[in-house]
Amino acid sequence: MPRIVFVDAEGKSTEVQAEEGQSVMSAAVQNGIDAIAAECGGSCACGTCHCYIDGAWADRLPSPDYQEQDMLDCVVNPEERSRLSCQITVSDALDGLVVHLPAGQY
Amino acid sequence: MAETLSTQSRVEAAFAPLSPDFARDPYPTYKALRDKGGLHYFEDFDIWLASRFEDVSAIVMDKRMVRSLEDIATSEEIAAIQRAGNWHDMPHHSRFVQFSLLDSDGAVHDRLRKQVFKLFTPAMIAKLRDQIQAYVDRLIDSLADRGQIDFVDDLAAHVPGHIIGRLLGVPDEDCPQLRIWSENIVQFFDVDRSDERKRIAETNTTEFYEYLTALKHERERSPKDDLISVLIEAERAGAMSSDEFISTCMLILMAGHGSTIDVLGSGMHALLRFPEQMARLRRDPALIQTAVQEMFRYESPLPFFHRHCIEEVEIGGRNFARGTKFGLLYGAANRDPKQFENADTFDIGRTPNRHLAFGGGVHFCLGNHLARLDMDIIFSTLLRRFPTIELVDEKPEYKRGLSVRGPKRLQIAIKPT
Ligand code: HEM
Ligand code: FES
């Protein structure tokens, strides 16, 4: 099972075991990572599952599609490494992925 | 419907969502539905009801579940359904109300939602804070000496329409008229589909349409920093038709109007029923955001929506044919103990609180941040200004029906000491 490390805005890390095929958002929600609000449940319709992908990993993920890109224009404090966690699918290739959490989704 | 129905899956005769008992307290009925497990057929609406959090959220997230009938019925079938529901022969209503962002799916829905979404982001809505605060302050000033008010009619009812009107670009003095049009149009969605209500809905849609058209012409000549001007640009750029322009303005003005008033009422009522929670909020005003979310969970103001499946689907171990209609009981899902610890407890600090009062999936409520900000400001201001707030009428009457939830009136005493 691929591991994902979530680092919150204060720098505290939590490592979770994710399942292949689920989204990074559901891995977060299932493991009590409350900083991922994910209010639309993963339909790219709310922008409250925003996260930042750690340095080296950013280039190893498929780029956001146009819908995700549009939504990323609407999140709080967007950065170059911003992604919507509901649009990233977990796979073995992502074992060890480091995801930084924003201070808030609103 | 080809399914044969076991008595198990039919809802009991006791399921009477229009009854006074259900209006008083729908939660025992919701519990009974959840406890029986699976989906339940409700003949009156020819619909399969989902009540458990797991089932409701699976349906809203499912791409095979749509709102409009377009993909599953021929135009003759749609016309027959319209006649059966007495929706037919309403030229303006069918152009601007029966068609909308909410009632479209797929590419049309994506395109329309994209035109407005950027105006409803947390950052955009936060800009309205000072305006809303100033409006609420003035309103409360005008009531402060009364000692006793109807929280619903004297306070809650004035705020949402006024703020949505401003966001859209409607002059303040016209906002009361918008409320009348909205209510007369929205009421037709309820149970009473009589010819009289139908006539009222159609004439009100027509007047609303004429008003919006005049306002649009005015803005075309002199654009302002408002939503109407943004939508005019979208139409010019070919991103929406002129009918879609009107329909989108109407939806935005109507969608969050009555519902925000209702949840303000039930939220106030909850704080008064659970005084230890009101005291907690007074001690720690920073809890207002989780408190507002809990108000939405505890008494979801729009507890019932629907979907149709565009192919055969399996839910809760049962197959449903293409075209089956599903009822989403958001109000029942939000009290599901499998999802929420102590689900019947009103806990203003509840975190996380992943409720479904704003729906989910691609139709997730566009205006949720606005509704939340209105509530944040109204409750924070009231608690700050009135150290004593008490219930006058111990048993306020709630509206009847499956699609709405909120008190009709809420008499409260407000005292500055
Ligand atoms: C108490 C406040 C509100 C509640 C409970 C609420 C609830 C909802 C729900 C449940 C849906 C999804 C319907 C479905 O699942 O089929 C929805 C959609 C929508 N809401 Fe709200 N709403 C509220 C306030 C507002 C406000 C203030 C606005 C606008 C200013 C608004 C605009 C919309 C729009 C445009 C949609 C359709 C979105 C789409 O189809 O993509 N709502 N709302
Ligand atoms: S969960 Fe709503 S956009 Fe990702």
Side-chain angles (χ1 to χ4, degrees), chain B residues 127-157:
Chain B
K127 288 191 200 164
L128 301 172
R129 182 177 270 280
D130 292 347
Q131 269 192 52
I132 304 177
Q133 184 69 60
Y135 182 71
V136 168
D137 282 341
R138 256 188 297 136
L139 193 59
I140 293 182
D141 285 343
S142 73
L143 301 170
D145 297 339
R146 300 242 305 255
Q148 184 178 325
I149 59 167
D150 175 356
F151 177 75
V152 174
D153 237 26
D154 296 331
L155 216 172

Side-chain angles (χ1 to χ4, degrees), chain B residues 245-307:
Chain B
F245 172 96
I246 297 290
S247 156
T248 304
C249 291
M250 282 190 189
L251 177 68
I252 287 171
L253 287 166
M254 294 189 302
H257 199 169
S259 49
T260 310
I261 300 171
D262 286 344
V263 71
L264 278 161
S266 60
M268 184 80 243
H269 189 204
L271 287 176
L272 292 160
R273 277 155 76 197
F274 307 104
E276 78 292 350
Q277 294 297 313
M278 170 129 63
R280 188 175 166 203
L281 187 54
R282 287 187 186 280
R283 279 195 308 276
D284 187 358
L287 286 176
I288 186 67
Q289 290 195 0
T290 48
V292 165
Q293 283 288 66
E294 182 68 344
M295 291 172 188
F296 277 105
R297 185 194 71 87
Y298 196 72
E299 293 282 14
S300 308
L302 295 173
F304 174 73
F305 282 87
H306 76 274
R307 294 291 184 274

Side-chain angles (χ1 to χ4, degrees), chain B residues 10-31:
Chain B
R10 266 180 201 269
V11 280
E12 313 278 89
F15 181 70
L18 304 181
S19 69
D21 271 352
F22 188 82
R24 209 169 296 128
D25 185 4
Y27 299 105
T29 308
Y30 288 152
K31 179 179 187 312

Side-chain angles (χ1 to χ4, degrees), chain A residues 29 33-34 36-43 45-48 66-67 70-71 74 76 105-106, chain B residues 60-61 110 113-114 117-118 121-122 289 293 351-352 354-355 359-362 364 368-369 372:
Chain A
V29 169
I33 307 287
D34 296 344
I36 298 294
E39 293 180 342
C40 78
S43 293
C46 70
T48 63
Y66 76 96
Q67 274 186 329
D70 274 352
M71 192 56 78
C74 298
V76 181
Q105 298 285 356
Y106 317 117
Chain B
V60 292
M61 292 307 299
D110 285 354
R113 186 166 168 114
K114 202 177 136 178
F117 186 84
K118 48 187 180 294
T121 62
Q289 290 195 0
Q293 283 288 66
T351 325
R354 296 197 165 88
H355 65 73
V362 292
F364 180 72
N368 77 89
H369 297 295
R372 278 147 71 167

Side-chain angles (χ1 to χ4, degrees), chain B residues 160-205:
Chain B
H162 197 90
I163 301 303
I164 302 168
R166 279 204 191 161
L167 183 71
L168 200 80
V170 173
D172 280 2
E173 61 274 19
D174 296 340
C175 288
Q177 178 60 52
L178 292 184
R179 185 176 161 205
I180 297 169
W181 284 327
S182 299
E183 279 174 3
N184 284 332
I185 297 169
V186 170
Q187 267 173 27
F188 186 63
F189 289 101
D190 237 37
V191 248
D192 179 7
R193 300 275 175 72
S194 63
D195 288 343
E196 174 59 8
R197 288 244 55 102
K198 174 174 169 174
R199 191 190 57 74
I200 294 173
E202 176 64 11
T203 47
N204 278 265
T205 310

Side-chain angles (χ1 to χ4, degrees), chain A residues 23-90:
Chain A
S23 67
V24 170
M25 177 279 282
S26 11
V29 169
Q30 270 173 23
N31 288 284
I33 307 287
D34 296 344
I36 298 294
E39 293 180 342
C40 78
S43 293
C44 207
C46 70
T48 63
C49 63
H50 175 214
C51 64
Y52 307 104
I53 303 299
D54 196 61
W57 285 98
D59 303 333
R60 288 155 70 179
L61 298 176
S63 337
D65 63 14
Y66 76 96
Q67 274 186 329
E68 182 182 347
Q69 199 57 63
D70 274 352
M71 192 56 78
L72 285 170
D73 293 340
C74 298
V75 302
V76 181
N77 299 325
E79 284 177 19
E80 206 170 312
R81 295 170 307 130
S82 285
R83 291 298 300 261
L84 294 183
S85 56
C86 72
Q87 300 301 304
I88 305 172
T89 309
V90 173

